[in-house]
Amino acid sequence: MARPSHFLTIILISPLAMVCPSFSCPDTCKDEINLSLYLRQASTPPNPNQEVIYQPEPPKTFGAVAIMDWTLLDAPVATAKVLGHAQGVHVMSDLARVLWYTSFNLVFQGDRFNGSTLQVMGVTSTAAGEWAIVGGTGQLAMASGTIKHQYVAWSDVEYFRKIDIHALYTSNSMN
């Protein structure tokens, strides 16, 4: 038989679990997303989607600033289905190497996550790397996780970066 103090605790917490979903879902009802998509990055015509807005005097690159509106696609070709955009900024903040500090909103459009965003930040290089997902909105509210990225195709005018998104986000089922 339960001691009276435990019995009182159970009586007080049970109604709270019905009123406050966080008591009944210890991980605040997190859902998981795992997606492999592609970003198209182009800085030259005919269809540029990034622009250097400040460039220091050569040969320096430290301090350069670029803005972007990369296209989020379902395949690494310019004619693939558009699923959204990566909109943000790069800053050359590395004196020793060619690494860009990057911060952007991954804005989804279309069917599944239309209008939802992931807030992403990290280091962008010319090879592979990983960005942090530090937030989200809409159906991806309060997201956290990572995006692994690497170049998979390129030409004289564009690059395609494969992104593997892995994140947890707050389920919209309680809203």
Side-chain angles (χ1 to χ4, degrees):
M1 184 165 153
R3 293 188 350 215
S5 62
H6 291 176
F7 181 72
L8 182 59
T9 302
I10 291 169
I11 289 174
L12 291 175
I13 291 180
S14 294
L16 287 175
M18 290 183 270
V19 174
C20 181
S22 64
F23 277 92
S24 61
C25 191
D27 291 330
T28 60
C29 298
K30 294 283 187 174
D31 284 330
E32 185 173 17
I33 181 174
N34 286 295
L35 292 172
S36 290
L37 302 171
Y38 299 87
L39 291 172
R40 179 186 167 272
Q41 174 184 0
S43 57
T44 58
N47 298 306
N49 60 11
Q50 72 177 32
E51 179 80 29
V52 174
I53 59 172
Y54 175 73
Q55 179 68 52
E57 292 295 321
K60 290 174 54 176
T61 57
F62 181 73
V65 178
I67 55 173
M68 64 192 237
D69 187 0
W70 295 345
T71 311
L72 181 65
L73 304 166
D74 67 352
V77 293
T79 57
K81 181 178 179 181
V82 176
L83 302 174
H85 295 269
Q87 301 167 327
V89 65
H90 304 305
V91 177
M92 176 58 70
S93 59
D94 182 356
L95 281 170
R97 300 180 293 180
V98 182
L99 298 175
W100 295 81
Y101 166 76
T102 304
S103 178
F104 63 90
N105 289 315
L106 193 55
V107 182
F108 290 90
Q109 67 186 53
D111 305 329
R112 186 169 174 196
F113 295 112
N114 189 39
S116 298
T117 68
L118 292 174
Q119 174 60 49
V120 181
M121 61 182 6
V123 174
T124 302
S125 68
T126 57
E130 187 173 32
W131 297 314
I133 298 170
V134 296
T137 65
Q139 294 177 49
L140 301 170
M142 297 175 53
S144 63
T146 60
I147 297 177
K148 293 185 182 197
H149 59 90
Q150 67 179 351
Y151 284 128
V152 292
W154 53 88
S155 70
D156 291 339
V157 296
E158 62 191 359
Y159 294 91
F160 290 92
R161 187 182 301 269
K162 181 181 182 197
I163 61 171
D164 293 313
I165 301 169
H166 177 240
L168 298 175
Y169 60 96
T170 301
S171 172
N172 243 358
S173 62
M174 294 183 293
N175 293 336

